[in-house]
Amino acid sequence: HFKPVGDIYRRLFVNLNVIADFLDRELPNGAKVLDIGGGDGALVDRLLDRRPDLTVTMCDLAPSIGAFLSNANRPKVELLPATDLSSVQGSYDVVTISDVIHHVPVDGRDAFFKSLADSCERWACRKIILKDIDRSVTKIQKLFAVLDTPPARVAITAKFVEMTSKYSRDIGFNSISIN
């Protein structure tokens, strides 16, 4: 129903093919991937088109997720709608988080990253790939990655890099920079 609207929005603001290409290069063969906040599944669908060897679980607080997964890829994805990441069980090689952090209230980000750290420990996961934007400044500025198409394409913010580096150090992960 809303796929045409989502496609138009993404054509203007975010190029999911560029993100999927990056993930394709970064993810190890046969990886078990937990996608946090994957929403409609459009990114996961593009990724699985490139990498059918992956096992993907999507976790989102939304009650309905994965609506944009193709019929070919839908059976390859475990959907965990209305699920907080602290409730997810299993083991994962990689956690992906794309365009989620800016939805977390600023005063709740410490708790989010603490929960992420605790969960990664439980999942035996040592790699997080995070892509987001920072809307707390006057321009929409990139966090970590210059992946969006204009008009959102701008430089990485020092503020976010500093904040993310702090969180990464606190939870024992190395930051992954996408340039």
Side-chain angles (χ1 to χ4, degrees), residues 18-154:
V18 172
I19 300 168
D21 288 343
F22 174 82
L23 293 173
D24 179 15
R25 292 188 307 270
E26 285 294 316
L27 297 172
N29 290 336
K32 289 183 68 179
V33 179
L34 176 64
D35 183 66
I36 297 175
D40 59 30
L43 176 59
V44 167
D45 197 61
R46 283 167 175 81
L47 178 61
L48 286 172
D49 284 345
R50 291 160 175 79
R51 295 289 305 278
D53 62 298
L54 301 174
T55 302
V56 179
T57 300
M58 289 177 59
C59 166
D60 201 306
L61 294 175
S64 177
I65 62 174
F68 292 4
L69 290 169
S70 67
N71 289 336
N73 289 329
R74 187 175 308 276
K76 302 174 190 174
V77 181
E78 179 182 5
L79 301 176
L80 301 176
T83 304
D84 183 85
L85 66 97
S86 63
S87 301
V88 176
Q89 300 299 314
S91 64
Y92 299 95
D93 301 306
V94 181
V95 170
T96 59
I97 307 171
S98 182
D99 294 321
V100 171
I101 305 304
H102 68 270
H103 294 292
V104 178
V106 173
D107 62 352
R109 290 182 184 168
D110 284 334
F112 173 83
F113 281 105
K114 172 76 169 96
S115 178
L116 178 61
D118 292 346
S119 296
C120 283
E121 178 96 13
R122 194 174 67 254
W123 302 326
C125 177
R126 300 300 304 159
K127 185 172 188 174
I128 299 172
I129 300 176
L130 170 69
K131 181 261 177 201
D132 215 312
I133 59 174
D134 184 353
R135 295 182 181 182
S136 67
V137 292
T138 54
K139 296 179 186 175
I140 296 177
Q141 296 192 22
K142 308 304 288 168
L143 306 184
F144 267 9
V146 181
L147 291 179
D148 288 346
T149 56
R153 186 182 299 261
V154 292

Side-chain angles (χ1 to χ4, degrees), residues 4-18:
V5 175
D7 289 343
I8 290 169
Y9 173 85
R10 288 184 175 113
R11 214 170 298 132
L12 294 172
F13 296 107
V14 64
N15 186 337
L16 293 182
N17 289 319
V18 172

